[in-house]
Amino acid sequence: MQAGFFQPANSDVLRELKDFWRGFFGHVQESFVPHHKNNYHPHIFSQRMTALLSVLLVCVKLFTVAALSLGPALPAFSADLTPANIINLTNTSRQTFGLKALTENSKLDAAAQAKAADMLQNQYFAHTSPQGKTPWSFIHAADYGYLVAGENLAVNFTDAESVEQAWMNSPSHKANLLNKNYTEIGIGITQGLFQGRQATFVVQMFGDPSVQKVELTSVPTPVQALSVPAPVPVGQPTGLAVVAASIAPDGDLMKVSATTEGAAVKVLARFGERAIMLSPVPDNNWVGYVAVSSLAASQSQLDVVAQDIQGATQTFKLAYFSPDVKTNYNVLGASITQPQVSLFGVKYAPQSSENKFYLWFAVAMLSSLALAIGIRHRIQHPSLVMNGSLLVVLAMMLWMTG
């Protein structure tokens, strides 16, 4: 009896897998590695592939712009973005610098929530509303009497950690967070459409109540003399001037700085029909912060206006803002933030991903081009060099515009 020949049942599958991988690597070799089968001209640099890859590069840019302009904002009330978490992080920052923790006050909570709702209803992001309401207006309306008070604002953040980090990175917001005179805090959070997109407003209010516990002591309270400068006579020139002004990105805000000469008593950053007051710092310098979105929405000139005690003003024209696609993407040639959108429920930063894509693409094309030239440097196809260089230049141009 002749012995039968046994053949494994999966031998055909293994053969097909081997053929598949052999064919796959063969295509890769012909596409990227110059050799005699492709006449030392990798298919990746053919006229057809160059055209297709150029279209791909442009489509990536268009997709990024569309995602930033039209993509839905991330969910506002995520698990992390809560008043309790913001307060805890604020107190952690204060304790790191040796300051006392703040106590939550329900009246400050109400004032902060009312301010957040007002910004959403009236479509603005600023300390002063278009109707002229200041933070103190909301605090007074909540029946909170204070000795000192302050306010921090944030928009379009998705977690408490990001809000706290952005505030700590901003000098003016950090000064509020670490102000030793504050003893109480309130948080307001609201969500809705802002300038046609879903947005989250976060309002943080600080205060020290005017009703204080008084402790009697037998030690007399020291008295200090206060020197008051003599008033400037009416009609006497004050030499008022704005000698310098500048703007610089600071998170989602634009930092406005100015230097004045003369007896300036008030300095404003004015854009459109709105203005914010700059805060004085040493050596006749003034600093303030304006939301980038507010500047873009104003479609107007940004001016610095200084005023003296007699009401005379001096104006310094600083910059012009317009609400084009670049407003959402890049302001004044400097990246303001890496905004995120929700793509199928996943957090996605289009600009960051786009930049990585262009850089890796350029590196891959340069490597393939160097390999093609290096293997047979005597056989340099002009079309190969031209097509490869075109792809690299296009990728880098699109990367630099981001």
Side-chain angles (χ1 to χ4, degrees), residues 184-245:
E184 296 180 338
I185 187 174
I187 303 295
I189 301 176
T190 192
Q191 174 192 19
L193 285 176
F194 176 57
Q195 298 180 349
R197 298 180 62 187
Q198 284 293 325
T200 306
F201 291 95
V202 181
V203 179
Q204 183 182 48
M205 286 188 170
F206 307 92
D208 185 38
S210 57
V211 179
Q212 303 285 332
K213 293 182 179 180
V214 179
E215 296 182 1
L216 298 179
T217 176
S218 59
V219 180
T221 302
V223 178
Q224 295 181 349
L226 176 64
S227 60
V228 180
V232 178
V234 177
Q236 180 175 332
T238 60
L240 179 67
V242 181
V243 296

CSV table of all heavy atoms in Angstrom, one decimal, residues 184-245:
chain,number,residue,atom,x,y,z
A,184,GLU,N,-11.5,85.6,49.1
A,184,GLU,CA,-12.6,84.8,48.7
A,184,GLU,C,-12.6,84.7,47.1
A,184,GLU,O,-12.0,85.5,46.5
A,184,GLU,CB,-13.9,85.4,49.2
A,184,GLU,CG,-14.0,85.3,50.7
A,184,GLU,CD,-15.3,85.9,51.2
A,184,GLU,OE1,-15.9,86.7,50.5
A,184,GLU,OE2,-15.7,85.6,52.4
A,185,ILE,N,-13.4,83.7,46.6
A,185,ILE,CA,-13.4,83.5,45.2
A,185,ILE,C,-14.7,83.0,44.8
A,185,ILE,O,-15.5,82.4,45.6
A,185,ILE,CB,-12.3,82.4,44.8
A,185,ILE,CG1,-12.2,82.3,43.3
A,185,ILE,CG2,-12.6,81.1,45.5
A,185,ILE,CD1,-11.0,81.4,42.9
A,186,GLY,N,-15.1,83.3,43.5
A,186,GLY,CA,-16.3,82.8,42.9
A,186,GLY,C,-16.1,82.4,41.5
A,186,GLY,O,-15.3,83.1,40.8
A,187,ILE,N,-16.7,81.4,41.0
A,187,ILE,CA,-16.5,80.9,39.6
A,187,ILE,C,-17.9,80.8,38.9
A,187,ILE,O,-18.9,80.4,39.4
A,187,ILE,CB,-15.9,79.5,39.6
A,187,ILE,CG1,-14.6,79.5,40.3
A,187,ILE,CG2,-15.7,79.0,38.1
A,187,ILE,CD1,-13.5,80.3,39.7
A,188,GLY,N,-17.9,81.3,37.6
A,188,GLY,CA,-19.0,81.1,36.7
A,188,GLY,C,-18.6,80.5,35.4
A,188,GLY,O,-17.6,80.9,34.8
A,189,ILE,N,-19.4,79.5,35.0
A,189,ILE,CA,-19.2,78.8,33.7
A,189,ILE,C,-20.5,78.8,32.9
A,189,ILE,O,-21.5,78.4,33.5
A,189,ILE,CB,-18.6,77.4,33.9
A,189,ILE,CG1,-17.3,77.5,34.7
A,189,ILE,CG2,-18.4,76.7,32.6
A,189,ILE,CD1,-16.8,76.1,35.1
A,190,THR,N,-20.4,79.1,31.6
A,190,THR,CA,-21.6,79.0,30.8
A,190,THR,C,-21.1,78.6,29.4
A,190,THR,O,-20.0,78.8,29.0
A,190,THR,CB,-22.4,80.3,30.7
A,190,THR,OG1,-23.6,80.0,30.1
A,190,THR,CG2,-21.7,81.4,30.0
A,191,GLN,N,-22.1,78.0,28.6
A,191,GLN,CA,-21.8,77.5,27.3
A,191,GLN,C,-22.8,78.0,26.3
A,191,GLN,O,-24.0,78.1,26.7
A,191,GLN,CB,-21.8,76.0,27.3
A,191,GLN,CG,-21.6,75.3,25.9
A,191,GLN,CD,-21.9,73.9,26.0
A,191,GLN,OE1,-22.5,73.4,26.9
A,191,GLN,NE2,-21.5,73.1,25.0
A,192,GLY,N,-22.4,78.3,25.1
A,192,GLY,CA,-23.4,78.6,24.0
A,192,GLY,C,-22.6,79.1,22.8
A,192,GLY,O,-21.4,79.0,22.6
A,193,LEU,N,-23.4,79.6,21.8
A,193,LEU,CA,-22.8,80.1,20.6
A,193,LEU,C,-22.2,81.4,20.8
A,193,LEU,O,-22.8,82.4,21.3
A,193,LEU,CB,-23.9,80.2,19.5
A,193,LEU,CG,-24.4,78.8,18.9
A,193,LEU,CD1,-25.5,79.1,17.9
A,193,LEU,CD2,-23.2,78.1,18.2
A,194,PHE,N,-20.9,81.6,20.3
A,194,PHE,CA,-20.2,82.8,20.4
A,194,PHE,C,-19.5,83.0,19.0
A,194,PHE,O,-18.7,82.3,18.6
A,194,PHE,CB,-19.2,82.8,21.5
A,194,PHE,CG,-18.3,84.0,21.6
A,194,PHE,CD1,-18.9,85.3,21.7
A,194,PHE,CD2,-16.9,84.0,21.5
A,194,PHE,CE1,-18.1,86.4,21.8
A,194,PHE,CE2,-16.1,85.1,21.6
A,194,PHE,CZ,-16.7,86.3,21.7
A,195,GLN,N,-20.0,84.1,18.3
A,195,GLN,CA,-19.5,84.4,17.0
A,195,GLN,C,-19.7,83.2,16.1
A,195,GLN,O,-18.8,82.9,15.3
A,195,GLN,CB,-18.0,84.8,17.1
A,195,GLN,CG,-17.8,86.1,17.9
A,195,GLN,CD,-16.4,86.5,17.9
A,195,GLN,OE1,-15.4,85.8,17.6
A,195,GLN,NE2,-16.1,87.7,18.4
A,196,GLY,N,-20.8,82.5,16.2
A,196,GLY,CA,-21.2,81.4,15.3
A,196,GLY,C,-20.6,80.1,15.6
A,196,GLY,O,-20.8,79.1,14.9
A,197,ARG,N,-19.9,80.0,16.8
A,197,ARG,CA,-19.3,78.7,17.2
A,197,ARG,C,-19.6,78.4,18.6
A,197,ARG,O,-19.8,79.3,19.4
A,197,ARG,CB,-17.8,78.7,17.0
A,197,ARG,CG,-17.3,79.0,15.6
A,197,ARG,CD,-15.8,79.0,15.5
A,197,ARG,NE,-15.2,77.7,15.9
A,197,ARG,CZ,-13.9,77.5,16.0
A,197,ARG,NH1,-13.1,78.5,15.8
A,197,ARG,NH2,-13.5,76.3,16.4
A,198,GLN,N,-19.6,77.1,19.0
A,198,GLN,CA,-19.8,76.7,20.3
A,198,GLN,C,-18.6,77.2,21.2
A,198,GLN,O,-17.5,77.0,20.8
A,198,GLN,CB,-20.0,75.2,20.5
A,198,GLN,CG,-21.3,74.7,20.0
A,198,GLN,CD,-22.4,75.1,21.0
A,198,GLN,OE1,-22.2,75.2,22.2
A,198,GLN,NE2,-23.6,75.4,20.4
A,199,ALA,N,-18.9,77.8,22.3
A,199,ALA,CA,-17.8,78.3,23.1
A,199,ALA,C,-18.2,78.1,24.6
A,199,ALA,O,-19.3,78.0,25.0
A,199,ALA,CB,-17.6,79.8,22.8
A,200,THR,N,-17.2,78.2,25.4
A,200,THR,CA,-17.3,78.1,26.9
A,200,THR,C,-16.7,79.3,27.5
A,200,THR,O,-15.5,79.6,27.2
A,200,THR,CB,-16.6,76.8,27.4
A,200,THR,OG1,-17.1,75.7,26.8
A,200,THR,CG2,-16.9,76.7,28.9
A,201,PHE,N,-17.5,80.0,28.3
A,201,PHE,CA,-16.9,81.2,29.1
A,201,PHE,C,-16.7,80.8,30.5
A,201,PHE,O,-17.5,80.1,31.1
A,201,PHE,CB,-18.0,82.3,29.0
A,201,PHE,CG,-18.1,83.0,27.7
A,201,PHE,CD1,-19.2,82.6,26.8
A,201,PHE,CD2,-17.3,84.0,27.3
A,201,PHE,CE1,-19.3,83.2,25.6
A,201,PHE,CE2,-17.4,84.6,26.0
A,201,PHE,CZ,-18.5,84.2,25.2
A,202,VAL,N,-15.5,81.1,31.0
A,202,VAL,CA,-15.2,80.9,32.4
A,202,VAL,C,-14.8,82.3,33.0
A,202,VAL,O,-14.0,83.0,32.5
A,202,VAL,CB,-14.0,80.0,32.6
A,202,VAL,CG1,-13.6,79.7,34.0
A,202,VAL,CG2,-14.2,78.6,31.9
A,203,VAL,N,-15.5,82.6,34.1
A,203,VAL,CA,-15.3,83.8,34.9
A,203,VAL,C,-14.8,83.5,36.3
A,203,VAL,O,-15.4,82.7,37.0
A,203,VAL,CB,-16.6,84.7,34.9
A,203,VAL,CG1,-16.3,86.0,35.7
A,203,VAL,CG2,-17.1,85.0,33.5
A,204,GLN,N,-13.7,84.1,36.7
A,204,GLN,CA,-13.2,83.9,38.0
A,204,GLN,C,-13.1,85.3,38.7
A,204,GLN,O,-12.5,86.2,38.2
A,204,GLN,CB,-11.8,83.3,37.9
A,204,GLN,CG,-11.1,83.0,39.2
A,204,GLN,CD,-9.7,82.4,39.0
A,204,GLN,OE1,-8.9,83.0,38.3
A,204,GLN,NE2,-9.4,81.3,39.7
A,205,MET,N,-13.9,85.4,39.8
A,205,MET,CA,-13.9,86.7,40.5
A,205,MET,C,-13.3,86.5,41.9
A,205,MET,O,-13.5,85.5,42.6
A,205,MET,CB,-15.3,87.2,40.6
A,205,MET,CG,-15.8,87.7,39.3
A,205,MET,SD,-17.4,88.6,39.5
A,205,MET,CE,-17.6,89.3,37.9
A,206,PHE,N,-12.5,87.5,42.3
A,206,PHE,CA,-11.8,87.5,43.6
A,206,PHE,C,-12.4,88.7,44.5
A,206,PHE,O,-12.8,89.7,43.9
A,206,PHE,CB,-10.3,87.7,43.5
A,206,PHE,CG,-9.7,86.7,42.5
A,206,PHE,CD1,-9.5,87.0,41.2
A,206,PHE,CD2,-9.2,85.4,43.0
A,206,PHE,CE1,-8.9,86.1,40.3
A,206,PHE,CE2,-8.6,84.5,42.2
A,206,PHE,CZ,-8.5,84.9,40.8
A,207,GLY,N,-12.3,88.5,45.8
A,207,GLY,CA,-12.7,89.6,46.6
A,207,GLY,C,-12.2,89.5,48.0
A,207,GLY,O,-11.8,88.4,48.5
A,208,ASP,N,-12.2,90.6,48.7
A,208,ASP,CA,-12.0,90.6,50.2
A,208,ASP,C,-13.2,91.4,50.7
A,208,ASP,O,-13.3,92.6,50.5
A,208,ASP,CB,-10.7,91.3,50.5
A,208,ASP,CG,-10.4,91.2,52.0
A,208,ASP,OD1,-10.6,90.2,52.6
A,208,ASP,OD2,-9.8,92.2,52.5
A,209,PRO,N,-14.1,90.8,51.5
A,209,PRO,CA,-15.3,91.4,51.9
A,209,PRO,C,-15.0,92.6,52.8
A,209,PRO,O,-14.1,92.7,53.6
A,209,PRO,CB,-16.0,90.3,52.7
A,209,PRO,CG,-14.9,89.4,53.1
A,209,PRO,CD,-13.9,89.4,52.1
A,210,SER,N,-15.9,93.6,52.6
A,210,SER,CA,-15.8,94.9,53.4
A,210,SER,C,-16.2,94.7,54.9
A,210,SER,O,-15.8,95.5,55.7
A,210,SER,CB,-16.6,96.0,52.8
A,210,SER,OG,-18.0,95.6,52.7
A,211,VAL,N,-17.0,93.7,55.2
A,211,VAL,CA,-17.3,93.4,56.6
A,211,VAL,C,-16.3,92.5,57.1
A,211,VAL,O,-16.2,91.3,56.8
A,211,VAL,CB,-18.7,92.7,56.6
A,211,VAL,CG1,-19.1,92.4,58.1
A,211,VAL,CG2,-19.8,93.6,56.0
A,212,GLN,N,-15.4,93.0,58.0
A,212,GLN,CA,-14.3,92.3,58.5
A,212,GLN,C,-14.5,92.2,60.0
A,212,GLN,O,-15.1,93.0,60.7
A,212,GLN,CB,-13.0,93.0,58.2
A,212,GLN,CG,-12.7,93.3,56.7
A,212,GLN,CD,-12.3,92.0,56.0
A,212,GLN,OE1,-11.8,91.1,56.6
A,212,GLN,NE2,-12.6,91.9,54.8
A,213,LYS,N,-13.9,91.1,60.6
A,213,LYS,CA,-13.8,91.0,62.0
A,213,LYS,C,-12.8,92.0,62.5
A,213,LYS,O,-11.6,92.0,62.1
A,213,LYS,CB,-13.4,89.5,62.4
A,213,LYS,CG,-14.5,88.5,62.0
A,213,LYS,CD,-14.1,87.1,62.5
A,213,LYS,CE,-15.1,86.1,62.2
A,213,LYS,NZ,-14.8,84.7,62.6
A,214,VAL,N,-13.2,92.7,63.6
A,214,VAL,CA,-12.3,93.7,64.2
A,214,VAL,C,-11.8,93.2,65.5
A,214,VAL,O,-12.5,92.8,66.4
A,214,VAL,CB,-13.0,95.1,64.4
A,214,VAL,CG1,-12.0,96.1,65.0
A,214,VAL,CG2,-13.5,95.6,63.0
A,215,GLU,N,-10.4,93.1,65.6
A,215,GLU,CA,-9.8,92.7,66.9
A,215,GLU,C,-9.2,93.9,67.6
A,215,GLU,O,-8.4,94.6,67.0
A,215,GLU,CB,-8.8,91.6,66.6
A,215,GLU,CG,-9.3,90.3,66.0
A,215,GLU,CD,-8.2,89.3,65.7
A,215,GLU,OE1,-7.1,89.6,66.1
A,215,GLU,OE2,-8.6,88.2,65.2
A,216,LEU,N,-9.7,94.1,68.8
A,216,LEU,CA,-9.2,95.2,69.6
A,216,LEU,C,-7.8,94.8,70.1
A,216,LEU,O,-7.5,93.7,70.5
A,216,LEU,CB,-10.1,95.6,70.7
A,216,LEU,CG,-11.5,96.0,70.3
A,216,LEU,CD1,-12.4,96.3,71.5
A,216,LEU,CD2,-11.4,97.3,69.4
A,217,THR,N,-6.9,95.8,70.2
A,217,THR,CA,-5.6,95.6,70.7
A,217,THR,C,-5.1,96.8,71.5
A,217,THR,O,-5.6,97.9,71.3
A,217,THR,CB,-4.6,95.3,69.5
A,217,THR,OG1,-3.3,95.2,70.1
A,217,THR,CG2,-4.6,96.4,68.5
A,218,SER,N,-4.3,96.5,72.4
A,218,SER,CA,-3.8,97.6,73.3
A,218,SER,C,-2.6,98.4,72.6
A,218,SER,O,-2.2,99.5,73.1
A,218,SER,CB,-3.3,97.1,74.6
A,218,SER,OG,-2.2,96.1,74.4
A,219,VAL,N,-2.1,97.9,71.5
A,219,VAL,CA,-1.0,98.5,70.8
A,219,VAL,C,-1.6,99.6,69.9
A,219,VAL,O,-2.4,99.2,69.0
A,219,VAL,CB,-0.2,97.5,70.0
A,219,VAL,CG1,1.0,98.2,69.3
A,219,VAL,CG2,0.3,96.4,71.0
A,220,PRO,N,-1.2,100.8,69.9
A,220,PRO,CA,-1.7,101.8,69.0
A,220,PRO,C,-1.4,101.5,67.6
A,220,PRO,O,-0.3,101.0,67.3
A,220,PRO,CB,-1.0,103.1,69.5
A,220,PRO,CG,-0.4,102.8,70.9
A,220,PRO,CD,-0.2,101.3,70.9
A,221,THR,N,-2.3,101.9,66.7
A,221,THR,CA,-2.0,101.7,65.3
A,221,THR,C,-1.1,102.8,64.8
A,221,THR,O,-1.4,104.0,65.0
A,221,THR,CB,-3.4,101.8,64.5
A,221,THR,OG1,-4.2,100.8,65.0
A,221,THR,CG2,-3.2,101.6,63.0
A,222,PRO,N,0.0,102.4,64.1
A,222,PRO,CA,0.9,103.5,63.6
A,222,PRO,C,0.2,104.3,62.5
A,222,PRO,O,-0.6,103.8,61.7
A,222,PRO,CB,2.0,102.7,63.0
A,222,PRO,CG,1.5,101.3,62.7
A,222,PRO,CD,0.4,101.1,63.8
A,223,VAL,N,0.6,105.6,62.5
A,223,VAL,CA,0.0,106.5,61.5
A,223,VAL,C,1.1,106.9,60.6
A,223,VAL,O,2.2,107.3,61.0
A,223,VAL,CB,-0.6,107.8,62.2
A,223,VAL,CG1,-1.2,108.7,61.2
A,223,VAL,CG2,-1.7,107.3,63.2
A,224,GLN,N,0.8,106.9,59.2
A,224,GLN,CA,1.8,107.2,58.2
A,224,GLN,C,1.3,108.4,57.5
A,224,GLN,O,0.1,108.6,57.2
A,224,GLN,CB,2.0,106.1,57.3
A,224,GLN,CG,2.7,104.9,57.9
A,224,GLN,CD,2.9,103.8,56.9
A,224,GLN,OE1,2.5,103.8,55.8
A,224,GLN,NE2,3.7,102.8,57.3
A,225,ALA,N,2.1,109.3,57.2
A,225,ALA,CA,1.8,110.5,56.4
A,225,ALA,C,1.8,110.1,54.9
A,225,ALA,O,2.6,109.4,54.4
A,225,ALA,CB,2.8,111.6,56.6
A,226,LEU,N,0.8,110.7,54.2
A,226,LEU,CA,0.7,110.4,52.7
A,226,LEU,C,0.9,111.7,52.0
A,226,LEU,O,0.2,112.7,52.2
A,226,LEU,CB,-0.7,109.9,52.4
A,226,LEU,CG,-1.1,109.7,50.9
A,226,LEU,CD1,-0.2,108.6,50.4
A,226,LEU,CD2,-2.5,109.3,50.7
A,227,SER,N,1.9,111.7,51.1
A,227,SER,CA,2.2,112.9,50.3
A,227,SER,C,1.4,112.9,49.0
A,227,SER,O,1.4,111.8,48.3
A,227,SER,CB,3.7,113.0,50.0
A,227,SER,OG,4.1,111.8,49.3
A,228,VAL,N,0.7,113.9,48.7
A,228,VAL,CA,-0.1,114.0,47.5
A,228,VAL,C,0.5,115.1,46.6
A,228,VAL,O,0.8,116.2,47.0
A,228,VAL,CB,-1.6,114.4,47.9
A,228,VAL,CG1,-2.4,114.5,46.6
A,228,VAL,CG2,-2.2,113.5,48.9
A,229,PRO,N,0.8,114.7,45.4
A,229,PRO,CA,1.4,115.7,44.4
A,229,PRO,C,0.5,116.9,44.2
A,229,PRO,O,-0.8,116.7,44.2
A,229,PRO,CB,1.6,114.9,43.2
A,229,PRO,CG,0.7,113.7,43.3
A,229,PRO,CD,0.5,113.4,44.7
A,230,ALA,N,1.0,118.0,44.0
A,230,ALA,CA,0.2,119.2,43.8
A,230,ALA,C,-0.5,119.1,42.5
A,230,ALA,O,0.1,118.6,41.5
A,230,ALA,CB,1.2,120.4,43.8
A,231,PRO,N,-1.7,119.5,42.4
A,231,PRO,CA,-2.5,119.4,41.1
A,231,PRO,C,-1.9,120.4,40.1
A,231,PRO,O,-1.3,121.4,40.4
A,231,PRO,CB,-3.9,119.9,41.5
A,231,PRO,CG,-3.7,120.8,42.7
A,231,PRO,CD,-2.5,120.2,43.5
A,232,VAL,N,-2.0,119.9,38.8
A,232,VAL,CA,-1.5,120.7,37.7
A,232,VAL,C,-2.5,121.8,37.4
A,232,VAL,O,-3.7,121.6,37.3
A,232,VAL,CB,-1.4,119.8,36.4
A,232,VAL,CG1,-0.9,120.7,35.3
A,232,VAL,CG2,-0.5,118.7,36.7
A,233,PRO,N,-2.0,123.1,37.4
A,233,PRO,CA,-2.9,124.2,37.2
A,233,PRO,C,-3.6,124.1,35.8
A,233,PRO,O,-3.0,123.6,34.8
A,233,PRO,CB,-2.0,125.4,37.2
A,233,PRO,CG,-0.8,125.0,38.0
A,233,PRO,CD,-0.7,123.5,37.7
A,234,VAL,N,-4.9,124.5,35.7
A,234,VAL,CA,-5.6,124.4,34.5
A,234,VAL,C,-4.9,125.3,33.5
A,234,VAL,O,-4.6,126.4,33.7
A,234,VAL,CB,-7.1,124.9,34.7
A,234,VAL,CG1,-7.8,124.9,33.4
A,234,VAL,CG2,-7.8,124.0,35.7
A,235,GLY,N,-4.8,124.7,32.3
A,235,GLY,CA,-4.2,125.5,31.2
A,235,GLY,C,-2.7,125.3,31.1
A,235,GLY,O,-2.1,125.7,30.0
A,236,GLN,N,-2.1,124.7,32.1
A,236,GLN,CA,-0.6,124.5,32.0
A,236,GLN,C,-0.4,123.2,31.2
A,236,GLN,O,-0.9,122.1,31.5
A,236,GLN,CB,0.0,124.4,33.4
A,236,GLN,CG,1.5,124.1,33.4
A,236,GLN,CD,2.1,124.1,34.8
A,236,GLN,OE1,1.5,124.8,35.7
A,236,GLN,NE2,3.1,123.4,35.0
A,237,PRO,N,0.5,123.2,30.2
A,237,PRO,CA,0.8,122.0,29.4
A,237,PRO,C,1.4,120.9,30.3
A,237,PRO,O,2.2,121.2,31.1
A,237,PRO,CB,1.7,122.5,28.3
A,237,PRO,CG,2.3,123.7,28.9
A,237,PRO,CD,1.3,124.3,29.7
A,238,THR,N,1.0,119.7,30.0
A,238,THR,CA,1.5,118.5,30.8
A,238,THR,C,2.5,117.7,30.0
A,238,THR,O,3.1,116.8,30.5
A,238,THR,CB,0.4,117.6,31.2
A,238,THR,OG1,-0.3,117.1,30.0
A,238,THR,CG2,-0.7,118.3,32.0
A,239,GLY,N,2.8,118.1,28.8
A,239,GLY,CA,3.8,117.3,28.0
A,239,GLY,C,3.4,115.9,27.7
A,239,GLY,O,4.2,115.0,27.6
A,240,LEU,N,2.1,115.7,27.6
A,240,LEU,CA,1.5,114.3,27.4
A,240,LEU,C,1.9,113.8,26.0
A,240,LEU,O,1.8,114.5,25.0
A,240,LEU,CB,0.0,114.3,27.5
A,240,LEU,CG,-0.7,113.0,27.3
A,240,LEU,CD1,-0.4,112.0,28.4
A,240,LEU,CD2,-2.2,113.2,27.2
A,241,ALA,N,2.4,112.5,26.0
A,241,ALA,CA,2.7,111.9,24.7
A,241,ALA,C,2.8,110.4,24.9
A,241,ALA,O,3.2,109.9,26.0
A,241,ALA,CB,4.0,112.4,24.2
A,242,VAL,N,2.4,109.6,23.9
A,242,VAL,CA,2.6,108.2,23.9
A,242,VAL,C,3.9,107.9,23.0
A,242,VAL,O,3.8,108.1,21.8
A,242,VAL,CB,1.4,107.4,23.3
A,242,VAL,CG1,1.7,105.9,23.3
A,242,VAL,CG2,0.2,107.7,24.0
A,243,VAL,N,5.0,107.6,23.7
A,243,VAL,CA,6.2,107.5,22.9
A,243,VAL,C,6.5,106.2,22.3
A,243,VAL,O,7.3,106.0,21.4
A,243,VAL,CB,7.4,107.9,23.9
A,243,VAL,CG1,7.3,109.3,24.4
A,243,VAL,CG2,7.5,106.9,25.1
A,244,ALA,N,5.8,105.1,22.8
A,244,ALA,CA,6.0,103.8,22.2
A,244,ALA,C,4.8,102.9,22.6
A,244,ALA,O,4.2,103.1,23.6
A,244,ALA,CB,7.3,103.2,22.7
A,245,ALA,N,4.5,102.0,21.7
A,245,ALA,CA,3.4,101.0,22.0
A,245,ALA,C,3.7,99.8,21.2
A,245,ALA,O,4.3,99.8,20.1
A,245,ALA,CB,2.0,101.6,21.6
